[in-house]
Amino acid sequence: MERDNFPRLGARRFAMHQTFDIAHPFAGSFSPLVRRQATLSDAFERSGHSLHSGRYARVRVCPAPAGHGIVFRRRLNTGEAVDVPALWQFRVSQPLSSAIRRDGVLVRTIEHLMASLHALRVDNVLVEIDADELPIFDGSATPWCAAIRDVGRTEQPAPCRVLRMRRTVTVADGRRLIQIGPGLGLHVTGHVALAHFGSLDWSGVITPERFVQEIAPARSFGRYVRAMAGRAYGYAVGEDFLQGVSTRSAALLWRGRVIGGMRVPAEPVRHRILDLVGDLMLVGHPVEGHVAAFHTGHELNHALVRALMREPTAWELV
């Protein structure tokens, strides 16, 4: 939720560049991601209140055949079910979350589940949901990771095609910047600077174990006063905005501390990386490359995905 220390731009204008390469620190020593497609070994169910609507949602995540991808099946009050593929073409802009829409049917706040599937290398699932927004739980991806690990992962006969970078693509919005260049595995370097906190940084290769231990516990975050004001505003105007926000569903910042304490060091930047890993999965394939993200958020993440899809010579599917 936190919009960091830089001023907001009135109209977002994203500049795309291919200006410099990123030296990958694990070149020659880290094995690239070569594997078969995978799905869940069994279905699991989870439920809880959502961040923005505050409403209760029930989710069932099911195994799916090879080549299926990640598809959300929204069950409407009419009894009808609409499938919305988790692909960049269906992405729509929503405040402080990632969302997809098809045939007028919206599914939002998908980023934590998407990040967990991406990092734990699960390619094919059907996600059934009875509301327009996934549960937020405690604001982290740990509940999703635990559910995925509880049921297990099953490899499928088909090979997994990975998007691997051939040259660097950069997207900038003023002083905010995100770029991805050639590299083995998915390596992410993240940076944010927050008032009263200073510079917060994290860098590393996203492996299943490292994601579960170092990234998944990081919660959605925001300034306490802004979050409460946003919730009050949403209630007053009848909009689904931050109606489920509290210290139980987010890391709320008060001056130079997190109420209740940080779960992991530099928790805010780690959560930005969590969101980024989820947003990249809207490419439709696991992503391999070295990402550098400075004050990024969902809008800039999705601008990078769009830039990649419009620059097919910058990458290859292997």
Side-chain angles (χ1 to χ4, degrees), residues 27-300:
S29 62
F30 186 81
S31 298
L33 181 60
V34 179
R35 61 173 176 84
R36 296 188 181 277
Q37 292 183 35
T39 188
L40 300 174
S41 299
D42 198 359
F44 68 82
E45 296 183 7
R46 291 295 183 273
S47 59
H49 291 279
S50 302
L51 176 63
H52 292 294
S53 72
R55 290 188 288 272
Y56 200 78
R58 296 174 178 83
V59 181
R60 179 176 172 84
V61 187
C62 309
H68 181 274
I70 300 169
V71 177
F72 288 82
R73 177 168 291 169
R74 169 94 183 273
R75 298 199 175 277
L76 307 178
N77 293 334
T78 61
E80 181 186 3
V82 177
D83 287 354
V84 188
L87 295 172
W88 69 279
Q89 300 97 317
F90 299 100
R91 186 260 169 179
V92 292
S93 182
Q94 289 282 303
L96 307 179
S97 66
S98 288
I100 49 178
R101 190 197 305 269
R102 184 184 189 189
D103 297 334
V105 175
L106 178 72
V107 182
R108 57 180 171 159
T109 318
I110 64 173
E111 56 270 24
H112 299 174
L113 174 56
M114 293 291 290
S116 302
L117 293 169
H118 191 180
L120 299 186
R121 301 177 183 175
V122 177
D123 309 286
N124 303 302
V125 294
L126 176 65
V127 185
E128 299 176 328
I129 181 169
D130 65 356
D132 69 350
E133 185 179 8
L134 272 68
I136 190 63
F137 302 124
D138 61 354
S140 79
T142 294
W144 293 119
C145 289
I148 293 168
R149 288 196 152 188
D150 282 348
V151 298
R153 171 182 176 274
T154 296
E155 289 199 342
Q156 299 168 300
C160 178
R161 302 182 74 194
V162 177
L163 187 149
R164 184 175 296 168
M165 297 303 299
R166 300 175 64 183
R167 57 184 172 86
T168 300
V169 174
T170 304
V171 178
D173 175 10
R175 296 174 66 183
R176 305 174 192 268
L177 180 145
I178 184 170
Q179 63 180 25
I180 182 169
L184 302 177
L186 177 59
H187 185 282
V188 181
T189 296
H191 168 84
V192 297
L194 302 175
H196 305 295
F197 286 85
S199 294
L200 302 173
D201 301 274
W202 188 90
S203 186
V205 176
I206 304 297
T207 63
E209 294 75 17
R210 198 166 196 180
F211 182 84
V212 168
Q213 295 172 7
E214 300 185 31
I215 300 300
R219 297 161 292 169
S220 301
F221 68 97
R223 301 286 176 182
Y224 176 81
V225 172
R226 293 180 187 175
M228 295 303 106
R231 187 173 72 177
Y233 170 81
Y235 180 80
V237 301
E239 290 186 3
D240 288 348
F241 181 64
L242 294 180
Q243 296 306 288
V245 70
S246 72
T247 54
R248 294 184 298 275
S249 61
L252 297 182
L253 315 183
W254 179 260
R255 297 186 182 275
R257 67 185 182 91
V258 175
I259 297 174
M262 289 194 188
R263 288 189 177 174
V264 288
E267 186 173 3
V269 73
R270 295 185 192 222
H271 189 80
R272 290 283 176 89
I273 292 170
L274 189 164
D275 285 344
L276 171 61
V277 172
D279 292 342
L280 285 176
M281 195 58 174
L282 289 179
V283 163
H285 299 275
V287 175
E288 193 171 274
H290 189 176
V291 181
F294 302 92
H295 297 274
T296 195
H298 290 300
E299 292 297 326
L300 204 62

